[in-house]
Amino acid sequence: MPLLRVGLTGGIGSGKSTVLQMFAALGAAVIDADAISRAVTAPGGAALPHIAREFGRHFIGVDGALDRALMREHAYADPKARERLEAIIHPLVGAESERQVQAAHGSGSRCIVFDIPLLVESGRWRRQVDQVLVVDCPVETQIARVVARSALTRAQVEAIIAAQAPRAQRLAAADVVICNEGLTLLQLQAEVALAAKRFGL
């Protein structure tokens, strides 16, 4: 049976990370593109020599990791900087993702779930998955959850949501939707189990 590739996405505060953990518990191999991206820019990460060459050594912090705050500032001042950074990081993330896919193949996994926050925004990811699973909830719920769990203000959360794909665009791209609104953890588990059956788990 071929390995099914599922792209999991959802807006901030949708509960996507919780859903990912539930899929892992049901036997899915999971690949977290964000975690890989953080790893390649952490101390000793594969992206750092390229970043130092492209942007200058001062973009590497005293801890040996990418100075994210300085890079954010730079990208804000120079829109092309983000593209230059992505040109370094994306191939490394892609290569490590593929290595993890091959490991999942080798271990006999039937389904691999990619955690991809920007799946809808990135045409490249949509072509690499067989199914798109969207974890959805109303925007007000997203705001309330993120404000409750973080130090961010409502305005800051609204700005993050505005920078992500609109809810309607995510839903239009979905093959499967889990509506995570007003559910207990047990009810959410039941929804995930239903989707998992569809994916051969």
Side-chain angles (χ1 to χ4, degrees):
M1 184 175 168
L3 186 65
L4 185 75
R5 298 177 181 224
V6 177
L8 171 66
T9 196
I12 187 172
S14 63
K16 182 173 59 63
S17 299
T18 303
V19 167
L20 186 73
Q21 289 165 5
M22 290 176 177
F23 270 105
L26 290 168
V30 300
I31 294 180
D32 184 338
D34 257 10
I36 296 170
S37 177
R38 287 192 297 274
V40 300
T41 56
L48 296 177
H50 306 285
I51 290 169
R53 269 199 304 274
E54 179 70 24
F55 295 97
R57 292 209 60 80
H58 61 289
F59 279 93
I60 312 300
V62 291
D63 62 350
L66 170 67
D67 186 332
R68 292 176 180 278
L70 185 62
M71 184 59 78
R72 261 195 306 272
E73 233 176 80
H74 183 58
Y76 184 75
D78 175 9
K80 289 284 179 194
R82 186 186 177 97
E83 289 173 27
R84 287 160 56 210
L85 181 64
E86 286 175 350
I88 293 168
I89 292 175
H90 282 175
L92 294 169
V93 172
E96 175 58 19
S97 296
E98 193 51 41
R99 190 196 67 72
Q100 292 185 21
V101 167
Q102 294 311 318
H105 264 295
S107 67
S109 295
R110 286 173 293 176
C111 173
I112 188 158
V113 179
F114 293 85
D115 179 4
I116 313 167
L118 300 180
L119 185 149
V120 175
E121 293 87 337
S122 163
R124 140 191 107 86
W125 270 113
R126 184 60 185 94
R127 293 190 299 272
Q128 293 177 36
V129 296
D130 304 307
Q131 299 263 302
V132 172
L133 170 65
V134 171
V135 183
D136 179 60
C137 67
V139 170
E140 274 304 317
T141 302
Q142 289 179 259
I143 294 168
R145 284 176 181 163
V146 180
V147 167
R149 78 184 187 203
S150 72
L152 297 174
T153 65
R154 181 186 178 92
Q156 287 171 319
V157 179
E158 285 174 342
I160 292 168
I161 290 171
Q164 294 181 332
R167 184 183 179 195
Q169 189 183 344
R170 270 197 304 273
L171 290 172
D175 296 299
V176 181
V177 177
I178 291 177
C179 182
N180 185 21
E181 169 68 11
L183 301 182
T184 65
L185 267 181
L186 277 176
Q187 289 169 328
L188 181 59
Q189 272 179 326
E191 291 293 317
V192 171
L194 275 176
K197 277 184 187 165
R198 177 170 173 164
F199 301 146
L201 290 169

